[in-house]
Amino acid sequence: MANRKGVFIGAYVPNHLKESLRRRAAAEHRTLSQEITRILEEAVHGRGLPAGSVDRRNKETTPRRRATDPAPRRRAIDVAYVPTKASDENS
């Protein structure tokens, strides 16, 4: 038997609900246990990221650039082009 890191929760589940969960788990290539765990995690912690996504952010990271540098995206050191007198004389 595999080493499991968790606890067994016994509960009565009607057959029609178990079959629906089993079909949904199979459609997502998960086991019934994985599907039930995912549903419980969503219920307790809220919806997570879409399947296959990895959240690489931690609590110390700053928001993405969209939040800190609104459009038009210009850096503080950027300046507009101003022609010099030398370039005006050559024209």
Side-chain angles (χ1 to χ4, degrees), residues 67-89:
T68 58
D69 191 10
R73 293 186 178 156
R74 303 293 294 185
R75 292 181 295 256
I77 59 173
D78 288 347
V79 293
Y81 174 72
V82 178
T84 60
K85 289 187 179 192
S87 64
D88 287 340
E89 291 172 3

Side-chain angles (χ1 to χ4, degrees), residues 18-88:
K18 181 181 176 186
E19 281 305 308
S20 295
L21 286 170
R22 188 191 59 73
R23 284 192 300 273
R24 188 168 156 183
E28 298 290 328
H29 305 288
R30 293 200 256 287
T31 64
L32 182 59
S33 181
Q34 289 171 330
E35 183 68 9
I36 292 170
T37 301
R38 185 192 63 77
I39 290 168
L40 288 171
E41 283 181 358
E42 279 186 9
V44 172
H45 300 296
R47 287 199 69 105
L49 293 170
S53 296
V54 177
D55 187 5
R56 291 183 174 89
R57 297 173 294 171
N58 60 28
K59 298 194 183 331
E60 291 81 36
T61 58
T62 57
R64 293 182 60 108
R65 181 175 175 163
R66 280 190 295 273
T68 58
D69 191 10
R73 293 186 178 156
R74 303 293 294 185
R75 292 181 295 256
I77 59 173
D78 288 347
V79 293
Y81 174 72
V82 178
T84 60
K85 289 187 179 192
S87 64
D88 287 340

